[in-house]
Short mmCIF file of all heavy atoms in Angstrom, two decimals:
data_model
loop_
_atom_site.label_atom_id
_atom_site.label_comp_id
_atom_site.label_asym_id
_atom_site.label_seq_id
_atom_site.Cartn_x
_atom_site.Cartn_y
_atom_site.Cartn_z
N ARG B 16 38.64 -127.40 -26.02
CA ARG B 16 38.40 -126.23 -25.17
C ARG B 16 39.48 -125.20 -25.39
O ARG B 16 40.61 -125.52 -25.77
CB ARG B 16 38.35 -126.63 -23.69
CG ARG B 16 39.62 -127.27 -23.15
CD ARG B 16 39.40 -127.72 -21.72
NE ARG B 16 40.50 -128.52 -21.20
CZ ARG B 16 41.46 -128.04 -20.45
NH1 ARG B 16 41.47 -126.76 -20.14
NH2 ARG B 16 42.43 -128.82 -19.99
N ASP B 17 39.12 -123.97 -25.14
CA ASP B 17 40.04 -122.83 -25.19
C ASP B 17 39.98 -122.15 -23.84
O ASP B 17 39.01 -121.44 -23.54
CB ASP B 17 39.63 -121.88 -26.32
CG ASP B 17 40.62 -120.75 -26.52
OD1 ASP B 17 41.28 -120.33 -25.54
OD2 ASP B 17 40.73 -120.25 -27.64
N ASN B 18 41.00 -122.38 -23.03
CA ASN B 18 40.97 -121.83 -21.67
C ASN B 18 40.98 -120.30 -21.68
O ASN B 18 40.36 -119.66 -20.84
CB ASN B 18 42.16 -122.36 -20.88
CG ASN B 18 42.05 -123.83 -20.59
OD1 ASN B 18 40.97 -124.42 -20.73
ND2 ASN B 18 43.16 -124.46 -20.23
N ALA B 19 41.70 -119.72 -22.61
CA ALA B 19 41.80 -118.26 -22.66
C ALA B 19 40.43 -117.63 -22.92
O ALA B 19 40.13 -116.55 -22.40
CB ALA B 19 42.78 -117.84 -23.74
N LYS B 20 39.61 -118.31 -23.69
CA LYS B 20 38.26 -117.81 -23.98
C LYS B 20 37.22 -118.41 -23.05
O LYS B 20 36.04 -118.08 -23.16
CB LYS B 20 37.90 -118.11 -25.44
CG LYS B 20 38.78 -117.40 -26.44
CD LYS B 20 38.33 -117.70 -27.87
CE LYS B 20 39.20 -116.96 -28.87
NZ LYS B 20 38.78 -117.25 -30.27
N ASN B 21 37.67 -119.33 -22.20
CA ASN B 21 36.75 -120.03 -21.29
C ASN B 21 35.57 -120.62 -22.06
O ASN B 21 34.40 -120.47 -21.68
CB ASN B 21 36.25 -119.12 -20.17
CG ASN B 21 35.94 -119.90 -18.91
OD1 ASN B 21 36.56 -120.92 -18.62
ND2 ASN B 21 34.98 -119.42 -18.15
N THR B 22 35.89 -121.30 -23.13
CA THR B 22 34.89 -121.82 -24.04
C THR B 22 35.20 -123.26 -24.40
O THR B 22 36.36 -123.62 -24.61
CB THR B 22 34.82 -120.97 -25.32
OG1 THR B 22 34.45 -119.64 -24.97
CG2 THR B 22 33.81 -121.53 -26.31
N MET B 23 34.15 -124.07 -24.46
CA MET B 23 34.26 -125.44 -24.93
C MET B 23 33.60 -125.55 -26.29
O MET B 23 32.63 -124.82 -26.57
CB MET B 23 33.56 -126.40 -23.94
CG MET B 23 33.66 -127.86 -24.32
SD MET B 23 32.95 -128.95 -23.08
CE MET B 23 31.22 -128.55 -23.22
N TYR B 24 34.12 -126.43 -27.12
CA TYR B 24 33.62 -126.57 -28.48
C TYR B 24 33.20 -128.01 -28.75
O TYR B 24 33.74 -128.95 -28.17
CB TYR B 24 34.68 -126.16 -29.50
CG TYR B 24 35.17 -124.76 -29.33
CD1 TYR B 24 36.37 -124.49 -28.65
CD2 TYR B 24 34.45 -123.68 -29.85
CE1 TYR B 24 36.82 -123.19 -28.48
CE2 TYR B 24 34.90 -122.38 -29.69
CZ TYR B 24 36.08 -122.14 -29.00
OH TYR B 24 36.53 -120.84 -28.83
N LEU B 25 32.27 -128.14 -29.66
CA LEU B 25 31.89 -129.45 -30.19
C LEU B 25 31.96 -129.35 -31.70
O LEU B 25 31.10 -128.73 -32.32
CB LEU B 25 30.49 -129.86 -29.73
CG LEU B 25 30.01 -131.22 -30.24
CD1 LEU B 25 30.84 -132.34 -29.62
CD2 LEU B 25 28.53 -131.43 -29.93
N GLN B 26 33.01 -129.92 -32.27
CA GLN B 26 33.14 -129.96 -33.72
C GLN B 26 32.40 -131.18 -34.23
O GLN B 26 32.69 -132.31 -33.81
CB GLN B 26 34.62 -130.04 -34.11
CG GLN B 26 34.87 -130.15 -35.60
CD GLN B 26 34.46 -128.90 -36.36
OE1 GLN B 26 34.74 -127.79 -35.93
NE2 GLN B 26 33.78 -129.08 -37.49
N MET B 27 31.46 -130.95 -35.13
CA MET B 27 30.63 -132.04 -35.64
C MET B 27 30.86 -132.16 -37.14
O MET B 27 30.58 -131.23 -37.89
CB MET B 27 29.16 -131.75 -35.34
CG MET B 27 28.88 -131.50 -33.87
SD MET B 27 27.12 -131.31 -33.51
CE MET B 27 26.75 -129.82 -34.42
N ASN B 28 31.39 -133.29 -37.55
CA ASN B 28 31.65 -133.56 -38.96
C ASN B 28 30.79 -134.72 -39.44
O ASN B 28 30.24 -135.48 -38.64
CB ASN B 28 33.12 -133.90 -39.16
CG ASN B 28 34.05 -132.77 -38.77
OD1 ASN B 28 33.71 -131.59 -38.90
ND2 ASN B 28 35.23 -133.12 -38.28
N SER B 29 30.69 -134.84 -40.74
CA SER B 29 29.91 -135.93 -41.35
C SER B 29 28.53 -136.04 -40.72
O SER B 29 28.08 -137.14 -40.34
CB SER B 29 30.67 -137.26 -41.20
OG SER B 29 31.95 -137.18 -41.79
N LEU B 30 27.87 -134.93 -40.62
CA LEU B 30 26.57 -134.90 -39.95
C LEU B 30 25.53 -135.72 -40.71
O LEU B 30 25.53 -135.79 -41.95
CB LEU B 30 26.10 -133.46 -39.78
CG LEU B 30 26.80 -132.70 -38.64
CD1 LEU B 30 26.62 -131.20 -38.81
CD2 LEU B 30 26.26 -133.17 -37.30
N LYS B 31 24.64 -136.30 -39.92
CA LYS B 31 23.57 -137.14 -40.45
C LYS B 31 22.22 -136.56 -40.02
O LYS B 31 22.14 -135.88 -39.01
CB LYS B 31 23.71 -138.57 -39.90
CG LYS B 31 25.06 -139.21 -40.14
CD LYS B 31 25.13 -140.57 -39.46
CE LYS B 31 26.49 -141.21 -39.66
NZ LYS B 31 26.56 -142.53 -38.98
N PRO B 32 21.17 -136.88 -40.76
CA PRO B 32 19.84 -136.38 -40.33
C PRO B 32 19.48 -136.78 -38.91
O PRO B 32 18.81 -136.02 -38.20
CB PRO B 32 18.90 -137.02 -41.37
CG PRO B 32 19.75 -137.16 -42.59
CD PRO B 32 21.12 -137.51 -42.08
N GLU B 33 19.94 -137.93 -38.48
CA GLU B 33 19.63 -138.37 -37.12
C GLU B 33 20.39 -137.59 -36.05
O GLU B 33 20.14 -137.77 -34.86
CB GLU B 33 19.90 -139.86 -36.94
CG GLU B 33 21.28 -140.31 -37.40
CD GLU B 33 21.25 -140.87 -38.81
OE1 GLU B 33 20.57 -140.27 -39.70
OE2 GLU B 33 21.93 -141.90 -39.04
N ASP B 34 21.28 -136.71 -36.45
CA ASP B 34 21.95 -135.82 -35.49
C ASP B 34 21.10 -134.59 -35.19
O ASP B 34 21.46 -133.78 -34.32
CB ASP B 34 23.30 -135.36 -36.04
CG ASP B 34 24.30 -136.49 -36.17
OD1 ASP B 34 24.35 -137.35 -35.26
OD2 ASP B 34 25.04 -136.52 -37.18
N THR B 35 19.99 -134.43 -35.88
CA THR B 35 19.11 -133.29 -35.66
C THR B 35 18.57 -133.31 -34.24
O THR B 35 18.00 -134.31 -33.79
CB THR B 35 17.94 -133.32 -36.66
OG1 THR B 35 18.46 -133.14 -37.98
CG2 THR B 35 16.95 -132.20 -36.36
N ALA B 36 18.77 -132.21 -33.52
CA ALA B 36 18.36 -132.13 -32.12
C ALA B 36 18.71 -130.74 -31.59
O ALA B 36 19.42 -129.98 -32.25
CB ALA B 36 19.05 -133.19 -31.28
N VAL B 37 18.23 -130.47 -30.40
CA VAL B 37 18.73 -129.32 -29.64
C VAL B 37 19.93 -129.82 -28.84
O VAL B 37 19.84 -130.82 -28.13
CB VAL B 37 17.65 -128.74 -28.70
CG1 VAL B 37 18.24 -127.61 -27.87
CG2 VAL B 37 16.46 -128.27 -29.50
N TYR B 38 21.03 -129.11 -28.98
CA TYR B 38 22.27 -129.49 -28.31
C TYR B 38 22.49 -128.59 -27.09
O TYR B 38 22.36 -127.37 -27.19
CB TYR B 38 23.45 -129.39 -29.26
CG TYR B 38 23.50 -130.55 -30.24
CD1 TYR B 38 22.57 -130.66 -31.26
CD2 TYR B 38 24.47 -131.53 -30.13
CE1 TYR B 38 22.59 -131.74 -32.14
CE2 TYR B 38 24.52 -132.60 -31.00
CZ TYR B 38 23.57 -132.70 -32.00
OH TYR B 38 23.61 -133.77 -32.88
N TYR B 39 22.83 -129.24 -25.99
CA TYR B 39 23.06 -128.53 -24.74
C TYR B 39 24.48 -128.80 -24.24
O TYR B 39 24.96 -129.94 -24.33
CB TYR B 39 22.10 -129.02 -23.66
CG TYR B 39 20.64 -128.82 -23.96
CD1 TYR B 39 19.91 -129.78 -24.64
CD2 TYR B 39 19.98 -127.66 -23.56
CE1 TYR B 39 18.56 -129.61 -24.92
CE2 TYR B 39 18.64 -127.47 -23.82
CZ TYR B 39 17.93 -128.45 -24.50
OH TYR B 39 16.60 -128.26 -24.76
N CYS B 40 25.09 -127.79 -23.69
CA CYS B 40 26.31 -128.03 -22.95
C CYS B 40 25.97 -128.02 -21.47
O CYS B 40 25.02 -127.36 -21.03
CB CYS B 40 27.41 -127.03 -23.27
SG CYS B 40 27.13 -125.36 -22.74
N ALA B 41 26.74 -128.76 -20.72
CA ALA B 41 26.50 -128.92 -19.29
C ALA B 41 27.82 -128.94 -18.55
O ALA B 41 28.86 -129.28 -19.12
CB ALA B 41 25.72 -130.19 -19.01
N SER B 42 27.76 -128.60 -17.29
CA SER B 42 28.98 -128.48 -16.51
C SER B 42 28.74 -128.99 -15.10
O SER B 42 27.64 -128.85 -14.54
CB SER B 42 29.40 -127.00 -16.47
OG SER B 42 30.42 -126.80 -15.52
N ASP B 43 29.79 -129.58 -14.56
CA ASP B 43 29.73 -129.97 -13.16
C ASP B 43 31.12 -129.82 -12.56
O ASP B 43 32.11 -130.11 -13.24
CB ASP B 43 29.25 -131.41 -13.02
CG ASP B 43 28.79 -131.71 -11.62
OD1 ASP B 43 27.67 -131.29 -11.25
OD2 ASP B 43 29.56 -132.33 -10.88
#
């Protein structure tokens, strides 16, 4: 996360075909 930008990140490496999907961020 970058608090200054108020942004969360998901770094995805070594991606596989089974990672194919719609990705959602969520907050509580």
Side-chain angles (χ1 to χ4, degrees):
R16 61 184 172 98
D17 185 330
N18 291 344
K20 296 182 179 180
N21 209 31
T22 299
M23 182 176 68
Y24 302 98
L25 180 67
Q26 177 66 44
M27 305 185 295
N28 299 328
S29 302
L30 283 162
K31 305 175 181 179
E33 51 263 43
D34 294 320
T35 295
V37 176
Y38 283 70
Y39 299 89
C40 68
S42 169
D43 197 78

